[in-house]
Amino acid sequence: MLLLNLRWTDVDLDKPQIHITGTAAVIDRQRVEGTTKSGRSRVVSLDPSTVRVLKAHRARQDEERLRLGESWKGSGAYVFTTGWGDPLFPDTPSSLMPKLIETHNKQNPRVQLPHARLHDLRHIHATTLLLAGVPVHVVAARLGHADPAITLRVYAHVIHEQAATAADVFAKAVGG
């Protein structure tokens, strides 16, 4: 999981962007860090709302580290940690996802979220960008696909759906 390997030194809240440099996995019940699938790092831009969330998260994490003092186990390097500072194991966010959805749905009965796996958020992100007209090569870069052809294959259904509106877009562009 990419974000579980994210360190604060990889986060630039002024630009705003993050540098994806590696992943975290579990092998033989041990947390192991490695490179991305492609072996290359990438830069992903952040929106202002995400920057605000990350700033608040960092402030809470700093407060927790100060409150726990020497009990804090982490180095302060990781963005996502346990309450005592250790980096998260990759299965932790995935196992929390159904609980978060259930809690949301209990607190917001009029705005129910469907069952979703954590990995589904990646697909939602890509699909939303493609349907909004973001070029395939830009979406591919955000996802870490080495070649936009991979993105085209995985999201062909979205591309076909978008192609259906191409005639209308062209007609509006030429004033027809």
Side-chain angles (χ1 to χ4, degrees), residues 11 24 36 39 50 62 68 74 94 100 108 117 133 151 160 163 170 176:
V11 179
T36 61
T50 302
D62 288 344
L68 289 175
S94 295
L100 291 171
N108 303 282
R117 298 168 302 141
T151 311
H160 291 304
F170 180 75

Side-chain angles (χ1 to χ4, degrees), residues 46-122:
L46 299 172
D47 63 279
S49 180
T50 302
V51 169
R52 284 191 297 277
V53 168
L54 283 170
K55 284 180 178 179
H57 173 65
R58 187 167 197 177
R60 281 190 309 274
Q61 194 178 56
D62 288 344
E63 288 171 10
E64 192 67 17
R65 185 172 53 250
L66 288 173
R67 189 178 70 73
L68 289 175
E70 292 193 22
S71 297
W72 180 265
K73 295 181 181 180
S75 63
Y78 290 96
V79 175
F80 301 105
T81 64
T82 64
W84 51 88
D86 285 333
L88 291 174
F89 268 69
D91 57 346
T92 302
S94 295
S95 66
L96 287 175
M97 187 74 172
K99 295 173 187 171
L100 291 171
I101 292 171
E102 182 181 342
T103 300
H104 169 85
N105 288 346
K106 284 180 182 175
Q107 294 173 352
N108 303 282
R110 291 181 177 210
V111 186
Q112 296 286 295
L113 295 174
H115 168 76
R117 298 168 302 141
L118 187 61
H119 190 74
D120 294 335
L121 298 180
R122 175 181 169 88

